[in-house]
Amino acid sequence: MNLGLILKNRKNKIFAIGLSLIALGFFVAGISIHFFTLGANFMGTPQGIIDIISFIFEGGILTYLLVTNIRNDSRAYLAILMWLFWFFVDEIFTILYSRLAIVSFFGPNVDPVYVTLSSLYILFTVASLVIGILLYIFIRRYMFMSYDRFSRIRLFAIIHAGISIGASCLIIALEYLVNGQAFFIESLFFGLCRALADIAICFTLERLRR
């Protein structure tokens, strides 16, 4: 059996599965650190319950993406759309929170590094939201065969993944700047999870290409 030929013919599936699996691993590690750092009592608080529900949804989507890639299932389209929609909501809340927090940029003791990183993060978040909405529309139309420009879908998926990586780097830097090492590892794991999942989506789309 020619291993090189198998890798050539199935590289999209291999990368989609591999990256989805690693992303899920980082996600589980991030959850573990999150609740270990905050303590068992935190899980019973309103914020803790919200976090648990959020993690269940996000972990479920990641698992669904992994399973559909393993099975070579076209329902991976649905997993991709669910992932994009899930982060539409997250990014909208980020923008609203950032809009309110931006007031703290002005004052006598403002950290210019914090202001710069926060401003860039807001820009990346808005860009991710816009590109994500367009990508969602293109993929949904492609699913129902009312759109056939896969090259544009590929381009927007790559751009979205690139923006996601940039935003993840910024939020990790901000977490370290504000909280030091307290939540840095957790932020790093969740950032890697999202970045790898978005890259896995690019390979999943290549696998699903008609």
Side-chain angles (χ1 to χ4, degrees):
M1 185 176 292
N2 191 327
L3 181 60
L5 186 60
I6 293 174
L7 292 174
K8 180 180 178 181
N9 293 334
R10 300 185 181 181
K11 64 179 182 300
N12 292 323
K13 181 177 180 178
I14 292 169
F15 278 112
I17 292 172
L19 291 170
S20 299
L21 184 60
I22 297 170
L24 188 59
F26 278 125
F27 178 74
V28 172
I31 291 174
S32 302
I33 293 173
H34 179 78
F35 288 113
F36 178 79
T37 302
L38 295 173
N41 292 332
F42 175 75
M43 297 176 68
T45 64
Q47 184 58 51
I49 294 171
I50 291 173
D51 286 351
I52 291 171
I53 294 172
S54 173
F55 290 148
I56 289 172
F57 273 103
E58 190 170 337
I61 296 169
L62 281 170
T63 303
Y64 190 46
L65 178 65
L66 175 61
V67 170
T68 51
N69 275 317
I70 291 173
R71 293 181 176 178
N72 212 32
D73 194 335
S74 62
R75 282 178 291 186
Y77 279 123
L78 180 58
I80 294 170
L81 293 178
M82 290 166 63
W83 180 258
L84 290 172
F85 180 79
W86 178 252
F87 278 100
F88 293 163
V89 177
D90 180 68
E91 284 155 2
I92 288 171
F93 275 107
T94 298
I95 292 169
L96 291 175
Y97 173 79
S98 299
R99 180 179 58 82
L100 295 174
I102 202 168
V103 176
S104 65
F105 288 0
F106 305 98
N109 300 313
V110 174
D111 184 345
V113 176
Y114 173 79
V115 172
T116 301
L117 293 176
S118 297
S119 300
L120 286 172
Y121 181 62
I122 294 170
L123 290 175
F124 270 74
T125 301
V126 172
S128 180
L129 183 62
V130 173
I131 297 297
I133 289 172
L134 292 173
L135 180 59
Y136 182 97
I137 293 170
F138 292 151
I139 293 173
R140 188 168 179 81
R141 290 179 60 193
Y142 189 78
M143 282 176 61
F144 294 103
M145 299 184 181
S146 62
Y147 187 80
D148 60 359
R149 296 187 62 180
F150 183 80
S151 59
R152 177 171 291 182
I153 293 175
R154 177 196 290 127
L155 176 62
F156 273 72
I158 292 171
I159 293 172
H160 187 263
I163 293 172
S164 175
I165 293 170
S168 296
C169 291
L170 287 168
I171 196 64
I172 291 167
L174 280 167
E175 191 69 61
Y176 185 79
L177 185 66
V178 174
N179 296 315
Q181 295 183 354
F183 296 97
F184 173 72
I185 300 299
E186 174 191 334
S187 179
L188 177 63
F189 283 164
F190 283 133
L192 287 170
C193 167
R194 180 174 180 185
L196 290 173
D198 283 334
I199 297 172
I201 283 173
C202 294
F203 286 103
T204 303
L205 287 169
E206 291 290 344
R207 177 182 72 78
L208 293 167
R209 182 179 181 180
R210 294 193 299 269

